[in-house]
Amino acid sequence: MRALLLLTLLLPSTVLALEPQQAVGVQLQRLVVGVLDVGYWRDLGAVSVGGLAAIGSGENDDSTVESTIMGLGAQGLWHLWGSALRGVHLGAEARWEKRDDHRPEQISFDNTAMQQVTLPAQRHTSYGVHIGALAGARWSWSAGLWVQAQVGVRQLWTSNTLQCCQQPDQTTSTSAIRPMSSVTAGWAF
């Protein structure tokens, strides 16, 4: 009888210890455009907290321009239904990001009308900060693999600086409310 009582007391804690408490993932739509956007989440019961980091070359139609992107962020998720691995959540996200587009030297070429075109060396730097609210769901499989979809709205603040043509820097700032969405895949452990 004592053994059964001891087993009953130990079994729930053993099962809880086997439930994954951490997850890592990659945002799929940003990966397609050359940005590695990685997240790490820690499950704290009814809430998960996470850190986000982005780095990459970014998508650019002009092959003469070198682009780099880097950023950091955080996410807090409140699990409404289910668990951190399988269920629906509400959350908040804050993120900072910098994008630098740089044409290192002046280039000349003939355009489609056979006219000589010269593009000056230039640098365009953008800084962005957003704070947003989101809703999402996460699905997982026994091997620890999971997929997450999130949608929401964010307040976005940006600052853009253009350095070109031996002129003073041109800086503009904007603020706007924008939608946000993400599809992330990862592994829980």
Side-chain angles (χ1 to χ4, degrees):
M1 185 67 171
R2 282 186 172 158
L4 183 59
L5 181 60
L6 186 59
L7 183 63
T8 305
L9 292 174
L10 291 177
L11 187 59
S13 62
T14 305
V15 171
L16 288 175
L18 296 175
E19 180 74 19
Q21 301 294 311
Q22 303 172 78
V24 293
V26 175
Q27 214 176 87
L28 300 178
Q29 74 271 29
R30 294 197 74 189
L31 191 59
V32 170
V33 296
V35 178
L36 180 61
D37 196 331
V38 178
Y40 167 81
W41 294 268
R42 176 84 178 154
D43 182 20
L44 302 175
V47 177
S48 293
V49 293
L52 311 168
I55 188 165
S57 60
E59 184 177 79
N60 200 317
D61 294 334
D62 185 348
S63 63
T64 66
V65 175
E66 300 169 0
S67 296
T68 56
I69 295 173
M70 62 182 159
L72 295 171
Q75 230 183 38
L77 304 176
W78 177 48
H79 307 293
L80 294 174
W81 173 76
S83 69
L85 293 178
R86 292 175 206 90
V88 176
H89 58 262
L90 292 178
E93 178 177 292
R95 185 184 286 255
W96 167 87
E97 202 160 279
K98 175 187 176 188
R99 179 178 180 133
D100 188 32
D101 296 323
H102 179 232
R103 181 179 296 116
E105 56 191 45
Q106 178 175 307
I107 61 166
S108 296
F109 60 92
D110 291 334
N111 66 10
T112 55
M114 301 307 289
Q115 298 169 330
Q116 183 71 25
V117 176
T118 301
L119 298 175
Q122 67 181 24
R123 179 179 297 274
H124 180 246
T125 305
S126 299
Y127 293 94
V129 172
H130 83 241
I131 298 173
L134 56 92
R138 186 178 285 177
W139 302 269
S140 65
W141 294 269
S142 60
L145 299 175
W146 56 266
V147 175
Q148 171 180 278
Q150 295 177 329
V151 295
V153 64
R154 63 186 170 176
Q155 176 68 48
L156 176 66
W157 296 274
T158 61
S159 174
N160 302 293
T161 303
L162 177 63
Q163 300 168 330
C164 179
C165 316
Q166 299 175 356
Q167 299 292 323
D169 293 355
Q170 301 171 25
T171 301
T172 59
S173 296
T174 60
S175 174
I177 295 176
R178 300 271 189 240
M180 66 179 185
S181 65
S182 69
V183 177
T184 307
W187 181 61
F189 52 96

